[in-house]
Amino acid sequence: MKIGAIIEARMNSNRLPGKVLLKAAGKTFLKHLIERINKVSKIKNIVVATTVNKQDIEIVKFCKKNKIKYFRGSEENVMERVIAAAKKHKIDVIVEITGDCPAIDPNIISQCLEIYLKNKVDYVTNCHVRSYPDGMDVQVYKLQTLIKSSKMTNNRLDKEHVTLHIRKNPKKFSAIHMLPPQDIFWPELGLTLDEHQDYYMLKTIFEYFYKKKNIFFSCLDIINFLKINKNIRNINRFVKRKNNA
């Protein structure tokens, strides 16, 4: 059983174009994300699933330069893109993380994966019931589960939001929804890279912790930092988030 992370990433964001290749602390956010996922010992394979859109050649160039595996597929049908990426790179268990979560805590990824591996369920996530800060989102499921889901729906939203059909059908797909310990319960906190305000806030966070030599800072580290620094916490407080993962 081969466990692999699939990162959905593209340049053509309406709200913040080219966001995954913006930089903080001397690295692109995509590089930060990959390095953080690499801290999870059971993940042996990381694939960036981008699109055939000509703008995404920049992501391909980044992957080639950094010797990172990648796959190019449909821009709209993200479900099929993830399936094809997993098939090409022979991934059996998918750890799905979106490219706009550069500050994701490796410990949270590990916890989600461990829960999946130790329980006979189709799907484990921490983002269906919003309780963790937005931007700590991880989903784990088998490739075969996603293939089964894809054959059961032709809904456009289901195809765009990879696991939406799974989450809408709890009688057909068994699931565990992770909830955080109280010290990192902060569902209103946005740590995802959606708009310019998010960029300024995340850039500040990364540069602060890099100066402190705490490169793999945790979700709790971020929360403690933001509780003390209200001005930074408020940078993106009015950004509206999308509901579908």
Side-chain angles (χ1 to χ4, degrees):
M1 182 174 65
K2 192 172 182 180
I3 301 170
I6 294 182
I7 302 169
E8 300 150 18
R10 63 191 181 99
M11 297 291 285
N12 190 23
S13 166
N14 292 326
R15 293 186 286 174
L16 186 59
K19 59 185 180 181
V20 296
L21 295 185
L22 293 175
K23 289 186 175 182
K27 300 176 186 176
T28 66
F29 283 113
L30 185 54
K31 185 72 178 295
H32 284 298
L33 174 56
I34 290 166
E35 289 180 350
R36 294 173 82 79
I37 296 171
N38 263 324
K39 292 291 288 181
V40 182
S41 60
K42 288 189 176 178
I43 295 177
K44 305 300 183 184
N45 205 3
I46 298 176
V47 177
V48 175
T50 191
T51 86
V52 293
N53 189 311
K54 63 181 181 181
Q55 295 181 40
D56 289 327
I57 192 65
E58 295 305 317
I59 292 177
V60 172
K61 289 178 181 177
F62 165 85
C63 290
K64 287 180 176 178
K65 181 180 178 181
N66 292 278
K67 297 181 180 179
I68 296 161
K69 295 175 183 176
Y70 69 91
F71 177 83
R72 302 186 78 180
S74 170
E75 185 167 14
E76 294 79 21
N77 193 336
V78 190
M79 179 188 276
E80 288 304 317
R81 192 200 317 165
V82 171
I83 289 171
K87 285 181 175 179
K88 179 179 178 181
H89 293 282
K90 297 179 172 58
I91 295 172
D92 302 306
V93 174
I94 298 169
V95 180
E96 184 196 338
I97 298 168
T98 57
D100 54 11
C101 295
I104 194 165
D105 187 335
N107 294 317
I108 293 174
I109 302 174
S110 294
Q111 290 163 14
C112 191
L113 180 55
E114 285 297 326
I115 290 172
Y116 177 82
L117 294 173
K118 291 177 179 178
N119 292 274
K120 293 182 179 180
V121 292
D122 296 313
Y123 175 72
V124 177
T125 188
N126 68 342
C127 60
H128 182 59
V129 179
R130 177 53 63 195
S131 52
Y132 286 82
D134 198 0
M136 293 293 149
D137 303 351
V138 57
Q139 305 177 83
V140 184
Y141 49 86
K142 283 185 179 178
L143 168 60
Q144 291 305 317
T145 300
L146 192 59
I147 291 172
K148 177 182 175 181
S149 173
S150 72
K151 291 177 178 177
M152 296 171 67
T153 179
N154 287 312
N155 182 282
R156 181 186 62 81
L157 279 177
D158 291 342
K159 300 294 185 179
E160 180 183 351
H161 301 284
V162 181
T163 61
L164 181 60
H165 177 260
I166 293 173
R167 288 177 277 132
K168 289 191 304 185
N169 292 277
K171 291 182 179 180
K172 296 176 181 176
F173 299 96
S174 57
I176 293 176
H177 300 291
M178 286 175 57
L179 295 175
Q182 192 60 39
D183 57 1
I184 61 172
F185 179 90
W186 196 347
E188 303 83 12
L189 178 60
L191 297 174
T192 185
L193 189 60
D194 289 327
E195 299 194 5
H196 285 91
Q197 296 96 319
D198 299 319
Y199 165 64
Y200 299 131
M201 180 173 167
L202 284 166
K203 185 174 185 290
T204 301
I205 289 169
F206 271 96
E207 291 179 351
Y208 170 81
F209 284 109
Y210 265 65
K211 286 179 182 177
K212 294 287 185 180
K213 308 297 183 184
N214 182 7
I215 294 174
F216 296 106
F217 51 90
S218 68
C219 182
L220 182 59
D221 290 333
I222 298 173
I223 286 172
N224 289 337
F225 172 67
L226 293 178
K227 282 181 177 178
I228 296 170
N229 295 276
K230 187 176 179 180
N231 59 322
I232 298 170
R233 181 173 82 231
N234 288 336
I235 290 174
N236 67 350
R237 64 181 297 191
F238 296 115
V239 173
K240 293 183 178 180
R241 307 294 173 187
K242 294 181 180 180
N243 293 322
N244 294 318

